[in-house]
Each structure stands twice: as C-alpha cells, then as structure tokens.
Amino acid sequence: MIIAIDGPAASGKGTIARRLAAHYGLPHLDTGLLYRAVGAGALEKAVDFEDVDTLAALAGALDLSALDPESLRAGPIGEAASRVAAIPEVRAKLLMLQQEFAHQPGGAVLDGRDIGTVIAPDAPVKIFVTATPEARAARRHKELVGRGEDVTPESVLDDIRKRDQRDSSRSSAPLIAAADAEIIDNTALDVAASVAAALAIAERRRPR
Ligand code: DC
C-alpha cells in the first residue's frame, strides 16, 4: 500500500507520515530531504541557483542512505531547497528515486509536495495536510528556537509565505492537492488529533 502525504511547509505532514509508517510497519521517505540535500550542497559549494546543470548533477549524485535529517532541517536550507525544487531538471533527477521507493514490495509512506499528483498518482491513500500560514509559522518558530536558532516569529512567517508562494506557483509539479486527496486542515488540531484524522482516512481507503 502506498500512502501519499502532501502539504505546505510546517503543516505537520512529516509527523503524520512517520506515525502512519510506524502504524502499518511501512518504510517512510521524507522527500523534502532530497531537495534540502541539493539545496545544502548548492550552499556549501556556492553554486549559483541559475546554474541548472550543476544543480541537476548534485541531484543526480544523491545517496538516499547518506541523508542527515538533523542537519538538513536547519533554517536557511529550507529556502535553498524551495529554490532548487522549482527547477524541472532537478525534479527529473529525483523522480525515479522516489518512484522506486514508493513502489517497493509491500508499499511505503512518502511525504512531500507532489506525491499524490506526480510521484505516486496511483496511491490508494492520499492525504493533503494544511493549516493557516500563521499556525504553521508558530510551530516552525517553536521548533527552530528549540534547536537554538535565533529567529523572530515575523521572519519565520515571512519565510513560510515566500516558500508557499514559490512552491505553489512553480510550473513544474506545483504544490497542489490531488483531485482525489482528502484534506486535513489541522489549524485547530493538536498532533494526536491530526494523526487520528489521518489514520481514519487510511483505514477507510486502504486496499484489503
Ligand atoms: O517539506 P520540506 O520543508 O522539507 O521541503 C523543502 C522544500 O522542498 C520545499 O520548499 C519544496 C520542496 N519539495 C518539493 O518541491 N517536492 C517535494 N516532494 C518535497 C519538497
């Protein structure tokens, strides 16, 4: 069974994906980490964000087993990830990797922006997780401060809005709910309630 979970930055889709993966005993891929790894590589090697060939080469050389989620979740990398994610050549390099992960025997849980629309349009369970930009910014701010980053609530909200705008308006695989996805707006829900809503959807839609 493939479970596709999409949604904007800091919507809680990663938490939901991890909980569903644990519940069903399925492997999980946070596809944002792939774009973050390319973005981090670009920052580290000072690659120009217009240099499509070099960025695509970075994407082509990614090794799934070498991704370090902790370091890739640092603040500035999100912005770089969003920029490289708008480049079709970068997305093309990451497509097969994600499709192979999704279609492994037994299934998988993937979370990202285009899982239900591009990576696994055949997924029986598709969930689009969202919340207001203010609610998502408040969560992200708390997370970043907890990691010791020095950020203001305003700058985090500004960053979330910029990323929403870029992720939704790009021409290649924009952030959009699949027509057959079920939406969870968790603005007013806590983690337990969001996970329970997602589990209820998965139970209803999973093949038996
Ligand atoms: O979910 P995240 O914040 O870790 O994602 C980082 C960036 O990667 C996000 O701004 C958009 C991009 N992304 C994407 O375009 N497609 C995906 N499937 C996952 C992430």
Side-chain angles (χ1 to χ4, degrees):
M1 162 174 65
I2 302 176
I3 300 182
I5 305 196
D6 290 303
S11 57
K13 61 187 185 306
T15 302
I16 289 177
R18 279 191 296 278
R19 298 284 183 91
L20 290 188
H23 181 85
Y24 292 111
L26 293 171
H28 164 232
L29 179 62
D30 168 358
T31 63
L33 289 181
L34 305 176
Y35 297 92
R36 284 174 177 268
V38 177
L43 291 177
E44 199 182 310
K45 300 192 169 78
V47 178
D48 191 311
F49 284 99
E50 307 288 317
D51 184 352
V52 171
D53 290 346
T54 306
L55 294 171
L58 282 178
L62 272 198
D63 174 4
L64 264 192
S65 62
L67 301 177
D68 172 20
E70 219 11 68
S71 66
L72 291 174
R73 292 213 177 94
I77 297 178
E79 169 73 9
S82 172
R83 292 185 69 173
V84 299
I87 302 171
E89 290 83 351
V90 168
R91 304 197 72 84
K93 290 281 185 201
L94 299 176
L95 182 70
M96 216 199 294
L97 200 81
Q98 296 174 82
Q99 289 187 327
E100 279 172 5
F101 190 93
H103 293 94
Q104 61 188 291
V109 180
L110 289 87
D111 72 91
R113 302 291 189 289
D114 62 343
I115 310 304
T117 50
V118 176
I119 304 298
D122 54 332
V125 180
K126 291 187 190 178
I127 302 175
F128 190 86
V129 188
T130 190
T132 61
E134 290 76 13
R136 290 184 285 120
R139 290 175 198 159
R140 181 53 55 87
H141 180 254
K142 197 168 156 202
E143 178 195 328
L144 293 174
V145 168
R147 296 161 54 100
E149 293 197 25
D150 183 20
V151 284
T152 63
E154 295 74 28
S155 71
V156 177
L157 179 58
D158 189 50
D159 178 53
I160 291 261
R161 288 214 164 102
K162 258 201 246 149
R163 281 179 56 195
D164 281 359
Q165 165 67 18
R166 189 181 293 121
D167 294 346
S168 308
S169 63
R170 68 182 181 222
S171 56
S172 178
L175 168 67
I176 185 172
D180 54 350
E182 298 198 33
I183 315 259
I184 297 176
D185 182 330
N186 61 20
T187 303
L189 301 182
D190 63 12
V191 173
S194 297
V195 171
L199 251 179
I201 293 169
E203 277 301 296
R204 187 155 31 77
R205 293 187 44 159
R206 76 186 172 99
R208 291 170 198 270

